[in-house]
Amino acid sequence: MIILKNERDLDAMRPACAVAGTVLEEITAFIKPGLTTREVDEFAAKRIKQHGAKSAFLGYRNYPCHTCLSVNEEVVHGLAGDRELHFGDIVSVDVGVFYKGFVGDTARTVAVGGCGVAAQRLMDVTEHALYEGIAAALPGNRVTDISRAVQTYVEANGFSVVREFVGHGVGRSMHEEPQVPNFVDPKSNQKLRSGMTLAIEPMVNAGQSGVKILKDGWTVVTQDGLLSAHFEHTVLVTEGEPEILTCPETKPSRLKVG
Ligand code: MF3
Ligand code: CO
Ligand code: CO
């Protein structure tokens, strides 16, 4: 069953998503060469707490970290640990928080200090693919229209989409119906309606689309060892343009007079 959100739900879900977007921005600003992923996750835990939110990941199916931090060939669900971040690495940061009874889920891949042109192009194409997907999140369209928009853009740019993991509805729980694949799957052809809240999240591999899970039971890596990138927003389908819910909070800035 797909759960539509009404204005009262959205009064709580908008702030939840804004916190997720803000924390993601804070984490990506914090990341620099020399840090371990554990230090990044500890910083994330502090920021989530300071916002009065809770990690939606910690404890989910026994997931042991506050965020997902996936480096280079790691696709998603990377576990924080002793791995040190080096200049030129790319790291996918996925943040999910509970706040006011709702979940906000958002991710982006960033370079550690800087990166090569091939890695940058992978990140650019993945981010753009996310916006192609968002633009297709219109009432009357189907989930497959989002999937097709993402897949077409990614493949036209010579990269491949991951098939084993998909986007999803999101609300009071992190994973609601429908699934939102990044490839056209005829099984995922539900009609989109105003009030749906979807986590659209292309996972894009520089090489082949195949992935495997490491022995830790969580970390998803590319089979060919090449780079992967991941961008995600929680989006509200409206009668008009889709509303991107996981944008960072914009604090009203006040002029200091005198
Ligand atoms: N946030 C991920 C998603 O986009 C799911 C994380 S699963 C967890 O769907 F186990 F790591 F929490
Ligand atoms: Co996520
Ligand atoms: Co998600």
Side-chain angles (χ1 to χ4, degrees):
M1 188 199 41
I2 297 178
I3 303 167
L4 299 179
K5 278 70 178 183
N6 60 32
E7 275 308 319
R8 207 158 56 86
D9 297 328
L10 293 168
D11 282 344
M13 190 158 169
R14 282 195 183 92
C17 290
V19 168
T22 302
V23 170
L24 177 60
E25 190 172 73
E26 289 168 345
I27 297 167
T28 57
F30 176 74
I31 285 174
K32 59 174 191 291
L35 293 172
T36 65
T37 53
R38 180 177 294 107
E39 289 170 314
V40 175
D41 193 59
E42 280 166 1
F43 173 81
K46 257 196 310 194
R47 296 307 309 156
I48 291 169
K49 194 167 179 190
Q50 250 153 29
H51 286 282
K54 276 212 158 90
S55 167
F57 300 173
L58 184 66
Y60 176 85
R61 298 186 184 183
N62 291 323
Y63 187 76
C65 307
H66 300 82
T67 57
C68 298
L69 299 166
S70 310
V71 183
N72 293 340
E73 76 289 351
E74 297 176 355
V75 180
V76 286
H77 305 166
L79 299 182
D82 295 328
R83 185 169 184 168
E84 200 178 287
L85 298 174
H86 298 123
F87 184 93
D89 286 344
I90 62 171
V91 50
S92 298
V93 182
D94 194 341
V95 174
V97 300
F98 274 114
Y99 187 71
K100 293 178 182 269
F102 282 86
V103 174
D105 189 8
T106 182
R108 70 165 38 244
T109 306
V110 293
V112 179
C115 68
V117 65
Q120 186 61 51
R121 199 172 82 79
L122 175 67
M123 293 191 290
D124 290 346
V125 167
T126 308
E127 183 167 23
H128 190 113
L130 168 60
Y131 286 91
E132 293 287 333
I134 292 171
L138 301 170
N141 270 2
R142 290 179 181 273
V143 172
T144 39
D145 292 307
I146 299 174
S147 306
R148 186 179 307 101
V150 170
Q151 180 177 21
T152 304
Y153 184 78
V154 168
E155 293 178 353
N157 281 281
F159 298 137
S160 59
V161 292
V162 172
R163 286 153 197 271
E164 284 85 345
F165 298 88
V166 296
H168 50 92
V170 51
R172 290 187 180 275
S173 325
M174 179 159 63
H175 292 147
E176 295 183 351
E177 288 182 31
Q179 294 199 342
V180 184
N182 297 303
F183 60 98
V184 177
D185 182 345
K187 289 192 293 297
S188 291
N189 69 341
Q190 295 95 331
K191 251 216 174 111
L192 301 178
R193 290 183 58 187
S194 175
M196 284 187 187
T197 42
L198 305 173
I200 303 176
E201 49 178 313
M203 289 149 262
V204 176
N205 292 353
Q208 301 303 306
S209 69
V211 298
K212 60 181 185 187
I213 299 179
L214 296 186
K215 290 208 178 70
D216 63 23
W218 280 105
T219 311
V220 179
V221 298
T222 56
Q223 246 163 32
D224 59 15
L226 298 183
L227 296 178
S228 188
H230 179 210
F231 282 76
E232 175 179 31
H233 270 309
T234 300
V235 172
L236 170 68
V237 180
T238 79
E239 288 305 328
E241 293 279 299
E243 183 179 330
I244 301 175
L245 298 178
T246 37
C247 293
E249 288 156 345
T250 46
K251 297 226 169 59
S253 45
R254 296 189 196 290
L255 281 178
K256 284 205 179 90
V257 181

